[in-house]
Each structure stands twice: as structure tokens, then as C-alpha cells.
Amino acid sequence: MTDFIIEGEIIELIPLNAAGIEERVIWNTTVIEWKTEESGMIKAQSVDENSYRLKKEREINSNKKFVDGIYTSLEIYTLNHQHIGFINCYPFSNECAMDNSVAIGIVIPDRKNRSRGYGTEALKLYAEYLFKSGIRELTLITRAENKAMQAVGEKCGFHKYMVLSDGRMILSKAERN
């Protein structure tokens, strides 16, 4: 499983490995602004560095992020091997969702790595991978005021679906048959 890679023109997606754990620790314990500004769903909370590191080591050792033949979390690296973020998916359903539907989250914590096309390419590549793996519908959930994330979704073929009462925007993309 360690040889898995999705390579694009400016980034590559790979499973988390030991070399990437320390950035993930920093992003989830020190550089946490992204938790509130990007997702709108996650409340910034204190995370213990050692506990988080152990959790990620266990995930790598157990291959926990490879579920039903699908990588549910991949790390985003530039082609010069700079670790800049991660992309993941999780089961998602609402009253209108198709079977085999997942929501996707993209995290690029450092602002200097944003607006460079990395997130757009990561979403495009990961969406293609998920559709090839049997997923039928993808959903992005972001704050309604997060126009940058909405633009990324629209560039990748997602369409605005609805605004929830809590101010989150849902964008959706269905598999083309």
C-alpha cells in the first residue's frame, strides 16, 4: 500500500507515512486557524501532541485510512516534496443524497500555499479517484461566506446545492455514467 500515489501536474496525493506525521501534529496542535476558517463545522480545540502523534502512527500501522478498498485520507505534496496539506472523505447522507455518497474535506493550513491551484488539483484528482473506486456522489461542505472554497468546487464541477440553516453551503457532484 505504500507505493500508492496519485500524481498531478503540480501536486501528488499519497497516504500518510511516518515522514508526514510531524506536519500533521503541527497543523492540528499549533497552526489551527484552518479549523474554524475553512470548515465551519470543526470547532478549534486543544489537541495533545503526543496523543495525536500516537493516533496517526496507529493509523499508519493498521492501514486504518484504507477502507473498503478506498483511501479515505491522502496527504497533499507539491512535486518538490513539500507537504502542504491533506484531503479526506467521510460518509455523508442527507435526505437527497445518493447511495455511496461521501463528503470531501481539503485542508491546506498555511495561507502561503493557498490560491496556487494546489487545492483545485487535489480535489480534481481525488474526485476522479473516488468515482473510479465506486463512489457515486461527492459533497463539499463549507461556510457560505467561504467563496474561495466554493470557487475551487465549481472549478472541479461541483454545483451549489443548498445553504443550511447554520450558514454552511453544500456543493455536490454526481458521477457521470
Side-chain angles (χ1 to χ4, degrees), residues 15-31:
L16 181 64
N17 58 37
I21 288 177
E22 289 310 310
E23 285 99 353
R24 289 291 293 269
V25 169
I26 290 167
W27 296 335
N28 281 281
T29 62
T30 306
V31 183

Side-chain angles (χ1 to χ4, degrees), residues 70-89:
I70 297 173
Y71 282 98
T72 60
S73 183
L74 292 170
E75 304 305 298
I76 305 169
Y77 282 83
T78 63
L79 294 183
N80 66 359
H81 308 292
Q82 178 188 2
H83 191 192
I84 61 165
F86 56 96
I87 189 166
N88 59 19
C89 69

Side-chain angles (χ1 to χ4, degrees), residues 106-121:
I106 303 170
V107 176
I108 299 177
D110 193 338
R111 290 175 194 256
K112 77 177 183 343
N113 291 318
R114 297 182 194 167
S115 300
R116 303 177 111 199
Y118 299 140
T120 300
E121 187 169 73

